[in-house]
Amino acid sequence: MIIEESVNSALDSIKTNLLRSLLTALAIIIGTAAVIAMVGIGTGAQQAIEDSISSLGAKTVSVFPGQKKKRGIRSSWVALWLNDAEALSKDSEIAWRISPEMHGNKQVKFGDKNANFSVNGVQPNFFSVNSFILTKGKLFSENDNFSRKRVAVLGNAVQEELKIPEEMLLNKEIQIGGISFKVIGFLGEKGSGGWENTDEKIYIPMMTASTRVYGRKWINTVRIQIPEGTSINKAMMSIERVLRREHDIGPGEDNDFRIIDWSQIQQIQKDATAIFTTLIAGIAGISLLVGGIGVMNIMLVSVTERTKEIGLRKALGATPRAILFQFIIEAIILCMIGGIIGALLGTFLYFLAASFSEQLPFVLPILAIFGSITFSACVGLFFGIWPAKRAARLDPAVALQYE
Amino acid sequence: MINVDSVHKSYDLGETSVHALRGVTFSIEKGEFVSIMGPSGSGKSTLMNIIGCLDTPSEGTYFLNQRNVGQLDEEQLAGIRNKEIGFIFQQFHLLPRSTALENVALPLKYASVQRTEQLSRAEEVLNKVGLSDRLSHKPTELSGGEQQRVAIARALVNSPSILFADEPTGNLDSKTGSEVLEIFKELNEKGQTIVVITHERDIAKQSHRTITIKDGEIESDSMN
């Protein structure tokens, strides 16, 4: 009974002072909207990073060239060679899969169309190591690699960028750096892995790249897929052992190559996103507290304005507790209205951000929505108590005479 | 029913204190129609606050229906105001944004009466004061006399044992004022105990007994 009367009276009071109520709730609205938008964008970004982890395959590490270090001084860069990749392939301690890459940018021409692409020399196992899906045509074979065939497989975005339909390109000749290649296959969309877009690349056999396109035997990187059941640390130690032997590095000398554990990098990215999200959410939380103080202020004004009404209610039999209840409920409803408007606004902002970004998925942040509405109700409860207590303590005889 | 025994009330104003009541003793029996009269500043409002359980005496005792009001806490006083006492004020004191029906039902909400019963009882008393066609009107849509009749209905809705009216005709013209007094007389004939606070002798004369207050003391107490 008293709850119903309190809610009605609260809504009535908010309606009567609509502008004042909305201005008071503004800080709550902004705070909640910021929380929802940031939590939404944050979790969306986390989701994107997780997706890119699984798209890479759970356990891959990459080896990059490094610098020789003699007596603490870094000197020249030391290349990674095709031989290094071969030595890794031949090592039988771990059943890993070795996929060297040789890449550079080349002008690509088809008829009157031309564009610049990253052209990657890879071995035939590259596609399965990186879990690519073939959508049309075929991939190149070991045989194509050994016989240095001029064949090319196009990443998903290449044909789009050239603005030529797939059917017109398949089994046709394109010019890569002035050399004629036959397009034999198209890859499915893989999306950006965060640091590179594998869809915007052209893939050709490693030996073809080495002898016909780039004319070199050093490679840019080796990607190594580690089998399930083998720890990444153990695999990294094996890689170190093989490459130190190949590069003739004596005991006590530093590596002249770098091994990068992608899952670790992704973890760092995830952690950074999480810290960023927490930070923004914290700032938003402060805004909610500031909003709470605003609500407390306006509730004090409301109590003073309605001193006579409080006196009347008390004369008609309202207990101090009923009055306390009435004003606390008013503060809670005021904050919750702010919370609900803020949640809608925040979800809308997140939705906008998600629809403008290709990488950010939209996942309705239900937990954050309910959480922040509940939190704003708690803000109302906390900051409503003091004004409500003042109202409850008013002397009815004095309050009735108040002008 | 009401037993006031040497009641004092003083207000502390820092260094000085004001003695609003200096030993007031009287009693009112069930079914009486009493007026308390006195000029402003005489202490009659303070007396009304005390016997209306809005305030407690500094000294002396006040029994309402055999209960010592001075010993009750806030919650108990609220309960007495809700069930035993009906207030009528000079300024009507209606909630401006609620309908006549909701205004009359308000004391029943604090008595935790079922919603449907609230409305039926509120409607019933509004019928009694002749406002059956004004149920969903808001105070601003009613005349002064009608507003005061809504306030009377509100005071009666919980069937109180005593009705207090503080200058009930003070904001009304003489015609509507005498209409309100007619309602009081009718209610009193049906057995309702009524206490009217006023500074007008004409109004006091219409009650059965007049208690005159001056400077915080009873000056006279006589039947009319």
Side-chain angles (χ1 to χ4, degrees), chain A residues 5 12 16 313-314 316, chain B residues 81-82 93 97 109-110:
Chain A
E5 170 61 16
D12 207 45
T16 314
R313 285 177 187 271
K314 283 197 153 187
L316 296 183
Chain B
R81 290 196 295 265
N82 185 240
H93 284 326
R97 292 179 296 276
K109 288 177 181 164
Y110 292 119

Side-chain angles (χ1 to χ4, degrees), chain A residues 1-2 4-5 12-13 16 308-309 312-322 326 395-397 400, chain B residues 49 54-55 74-75 78-79 81-82 87 89 91 93-95 97 106-107 109-110 112-115 118 154:
Chain A
M1 226 55 68
I2 288 171
E4 194 189 337
E5 170 61 16
D12 207 45
S13 156
T16 314
K308 230 176 187 162
E309 179 198 319
L312 170 76
R313 285 177 187 271
K314 283 197 153 187
L316 296 183
T319 58
R321 207 186 310 171
Q326 179 187 339
D395 182 342
L400 272 170
Chain B
N49 285 341
L54 291 167
D55 211 343
E74 277 274 336
E75 302 271 326
R81 290 196 295 265
N82 185 240
F87 283 103
F89 305 96
Q91 278 112 3
H93 284 326
L94 300 174
L95 294 182
R97 292 179 296 276
L106 190 58
K109 288 177 181 164
Y110 292 119
S112 296
V113 171
Q114 286 286 320
R115 179 77 179 146
Q118 279 177 26
R154 182 179 64 191

Side-chain angles (χ1 to χ4, degrees), chain B residues 162-178:
Chain B
I162 188 158
L163 207 60
F164 282 105
D166 185 4
E167 304 279 3
T169 59
N171 271 10
L172 301 173
D173 59 53
S174 58
K175 186 171 164 289
T176 41
S178 54

